[in-house]
Amino acid sequence: MKENLEVIFAAIVVIGAIINLISAIGVIRLPDVYTRNHAASKGATLGILLILSSVFLFFWVEEGYMNARLLLGIIFVFMTAPVAGHLISRAAYNSGIPLWEKSGQDALKATKQKVKNK
């Protein structure tokens, strides 16, 4: 039974590493700061959470040791990474960094014009 769990935990770590790799490729290949930031915040967050969760479960199930530092790391990444990504994108938009020319829509344009007209 322990060997099966080790294989499952190792597979989750590998999946997390693959998601992180795809996120890194997205940061390099995507055209503008907004899509790059989306790839970095969403992909890397999911990859890191999978890796940390797998390590936490491994030590809890296999060793009977519950590591509070890993649990706090999971909670910290889960709470801060998406918020930081959102704030970076919002700051870039408010600084006037243009969207990619093939972007479908600018959802904040009307809101920004309303604030400007007041």
Side-chain angles (χ1 to χ4, degrees):
M1 182 69 179
K2 283 191 172 189
E3 292 80 19
N4 293 338
L5 288 175
E6 288 176 3
V7 170
I8 291 171
F9 295 146
I12 294 172
V13 168
V14 170
I15 290 169
I18 290 170
I19 291 173
N20 280 335
L21 177 65
I22 292 170
S23 176
I25 292 170
V27 169
I28 294 170
R29 300 278 319 248
L30 291 172
D32 67 345
V33 68
Y34 306 104
T35 54
R36 289 178 185 159
N37 188 28
H38 180 76
S41 64
K42 303 299 186 248
T45 301
L46 179 60
I48 290 169
L49 287 177
L50 283 173
I51 292 170
L52 288 177
S53 299
S54 178
V55 170
F56 175 76
L57 289 173
F58 173 78
F59 282 114
W60 189 23
V61 171
E62 295 288 326
E63 305 289 329
Y65 175 68
M66 186 178 282
N67 192 338
R69 289 179 187 166
L70 280 172
L71 193 59
L72 287 173
I74 291 167
I75 293 169
F76 182 76
V77 169
F78 182 73
M79 298 292 283
T80 59
V83 174
H86 175 78
L87 289 176
I88 290 169
S89 290
R90 183 62 70 109
Y93 186 82
N94 288 333
S95 296
I97 296 174
L99 282 89
W100 183 40
E101 61 269 358
K102 294 183 182 179
S103 292
Q105 66 181 13
D106 186 357
L108 292 175
K109 189 174 186 178
T111 305
K112 192 171 183 180
Q113 287 178 350
K114 284 181 187 178
V115 171
K116 203 181 262 189
N117 291 336
K118 286 185 177 182

